[in-house]
Amino acid sequence: MPETSEKKTIFSGIQPTGVFTLGNYIGAIRNWGPLQDEYNCIYSIVDMHAITVRQEPAKLRQNTLQAYALLLACGIDPKRSIAFIQSHNPNHAELSWILSCSTQFGELSRMTQFKAKSQQHADDINAGLFTYPVLMAADILAYNADLVPIGADQKQHLELARNIAGRFNQKYGDFFTVPEPFIPKAGARVMSLQDPAKKMSKSDENPNACIFILDDKDTIIRKFKRAVTDSDAEVCYREGKDGINNLMTIYSVMTGKSLDEITSEFSGKGYGDFKLAVGEAVADHLEPVRTEFSKLVKDKDYLKECYTAGAEAAGRITRKTLSKVYRKVGFVDAR
Ligand code: ATP
Ligand code: LTN
């Protein structure tokens, strides 16, 4: 990827907290590949974010390598994008410190993900969990990213990153690009199959609540068959039909059919037929990802080559940003 060009820059990250879900895929990663030609794309497996909740070290290492292979299997081409592991580029943590001095305690206290995660992990409400959005801002601002493709749940964090950039620019003179969120129109919030009022999440305790992108066809169909819906047996998108609305959105994204087309396709048919069709569409769509993943994950040397080169390319960009930031805030040049 050329480092200086007229193209706009994209940054996004995903945590190595387990196999990606259909929510991560539809809300985020699926949209990353098609951006690669039009933009300078930088994608990261954000392991430093993952340790804000307790992780078993051996498992984190394994999950990180798996997440990197999944990223490539989902169509991120390490030759056209920069794809790297966050902890391999120390500049993120360094910039995060500087930015934390332009972030207010009050604004971090308002983050809904912090409130939710402090409830889930009441025995470990650590400072990292609280300052997590500052590290996320550093991830983005270190590359002066213009656009950040994310699911709807990350909108508040992106808003904060914009505020931090604005405040820094005000204090020290215009420097950071104020990033824009890039949230898909359909599928920005895929819901749990067991509780359609909750978002589908990797860390859900109930394995039937989410589809993992490496689930096999039978498992995917079984999970959709068990999906919680309603009792009126009509496939149409309407307020109060959260379960069906979620399945219709998933089916629409997978097949490209509109909600009206889906309603006519299933008129007079029951939920059983519909759920089976959704399951099949999802399983067929994910099949190539699963095949590619099983090839990639065996090739540890290739993966290492890719993430090493990715970290070098990422570091080349962020070192420049960081030295300019150090000057702006008044640190003495080291050399
Ligand atoms: P965890 O359960 O460990 O908190 P997560 O499943 O929420 O993780 P992240 O790694 O935090 O996943 O998110 C990666 C990307 O996937 C983000 O852009 C996020 O907005 C998006 N995303 C996560 N869950 C969903 C969902 N249910 N629907 C749409 N997008 C989602
Ligand atoms: N906070 C995000 C993951 C994340 C991210 C980022 C997304 C970390 N750094 C930078 C976009 C840009 C999450 O929990 N989903």
Side-chain angles (χ1 to χ4, degrees):
M1 186 185 98
E3 276 170 31
T4 49
S5 71
E6 296 305 305
K7 288 181 181 175
K8 288 194 169 187
T9 299
I10 293 229
F11 183 95
S12 201
I14 182 159
Q15 300 188 68
T17 40
V19 175
F20 304 161
T21 68
L22 186 64
N24 299 136
Y25 183 77
I26 290 181
I29 307 178
R30 176 183 70 102
N31 310 309
W32 296 0
L35 298 166
Q36 294 177 108
D37 290 324
E38 214 181 313
Y39 298 90
N40 291 325
C41 292
I42 304 152
Y43 298 121
S44 185
I45 302 301
V46 291
D47 51 350
M48 292 166 74
H49 278 91
I51 60 163
T52 55
V53 304
R54 194 158 301 146
Q55 303 289 338
E56 214 258 289
K59 188 78 189 153
L60 177 64
R61 197 167 291 119
Q62 193 190 335
N63 277 341
T64 303
L65 293 171
Q66 182 191 57
Y68 190 84
L70 275 173
L71 187 70
L72 304 197
C74 288
I76 305 309
D77 174 358
K79 296 218 164 49
R80 285 188 293 153
S81 294
I82 295 178
F84 73 107
I85 297 169
Q86 186 186 29
S87 62
H88 293 179
N89 182 1
N91 298 156
H92 292 230
E94 292 169 290
L95 181 59
S96 179
W97 176 255
I98 307 281
L99 296 180
S100 72
C101 301
S102 285
T103 309
Q104 299 301 303
F105 178 86
E107 54 190 351
L108 286 176
S109 313
R110 286 193 289 276
M111 295 295 114
T112 53
Q113 184 175 300
F114 172 69
K115 292 184 206 164
K117 295 229 166 174
S118 338
Q119 272 176 6
Q120 276 167 27
H121 306 277
D123 59 335
D124 186 20
I125 308 176
N126 61 77
L129 190 65
F130 187 66
T131 57
Y132 171 118
V134 185
L135 180 59
M136 175 163 163
D139 297 339
I140 299 164
L141 302 184
Y143 301 88
N144 275 305
D146 300 280
L147 281 177
V148 184
I150 42 173
D153 63 311
Q154 293 302 312
K155 194 166 179 253
Q156 194 186 31
H157 287 163
L158 205 271
E159 206 45 55
L160 179 63
R162 288 169 56 84
N163 291 340
I164 295 173
R167 203 166 299 129
F168 185 96
N169 288 348
Q170 234 171 22
K171 271 206 246 179
Y172 301 107
D174 254 4
F175 179 69
F176 286 123
T177 304
V178 179
E180 297 285 340
F182 184 90
I183 298 173
K185 284 198 182 68
R189 196 171 162 83
V190 175
M191 308 312 278
S192 152
L193 298 185
Q194 290 299 310
D195 177 0
K198 260 183 22 188
K199 87 163 185 136
M200 185 181 282
S201 169
K202 284 190 218 100
S203 41
D204 202 306
E205 276 157 23
N206 182 351
N208 288 322
C210 64
I211 303 290
F212 295 105
I213 65 173
L214 295 177
D215 281 346
D216 61 34
K217 188 165 187 165
D218 289 349
T219 308
I220 293 176
I221 290 175
R222 180 170 40 79
K223 287 182 180 176
F224 276 110
K225 276 191 181 156
R226 290 188 187 165
V228 170
T229 48
D230 52 62
S231 51
D232 66 31
E234 194 192 346
V235 179
C236 70
Y237 198 99
R238 202 187 313 131
E239 210 184 311
K241 288 172 70 76
D242 294 352
I244 287 294
N245 294 349
N246 189 38
L247 298 187
M248 284 182 77
T249 304
I250 294 172
Y251 190 63
S252 166
V253 171
M254 293 288 113
T255 59
K257 293 175 186 167
S258 70
L259 297 175
D260 286 344
E261 283 167 340
I262 299 170
T263 302
S264 13
E265 183 180 349
F266 293 95
S267 89
K269 294 185 186 155
Y271 283 174
D273 288 344
F274 176 53
K275 287 175 168 180
L276 179 64
V278 182
E280 281 181 338
V282 169
D284 292 347
H285 189 99
L286 293 177
E287 178 71 45
V289 174
R290 220 162 38 239
T291 310
E292 190 58 22
F293 172 80
S294 62
K295 266 193 267 166
L296 282 164
V297 80
K298 288 186 209 119
D299 202 343
K300 299 257 177 322
D301 291 342
Y302 173 69
L303 292 175
K304 190 168 185 182
E305 206 180 288
C306 294
Y307 61 69
T308 309
E312 275 164 16
R316 275 198 294 277
I317 301 173
T318 54
R319 266 196 298 280
K320 287 186 198 146
T321 311
L322 200 62
S323 65
K324 287 183 193 155
V325 167
Y326 274 25
R327 286 201 161 184
K328 282 209 164 268
V329 303
F331 292 166
V332 173
D333 277 348
R335 278 177 289 272

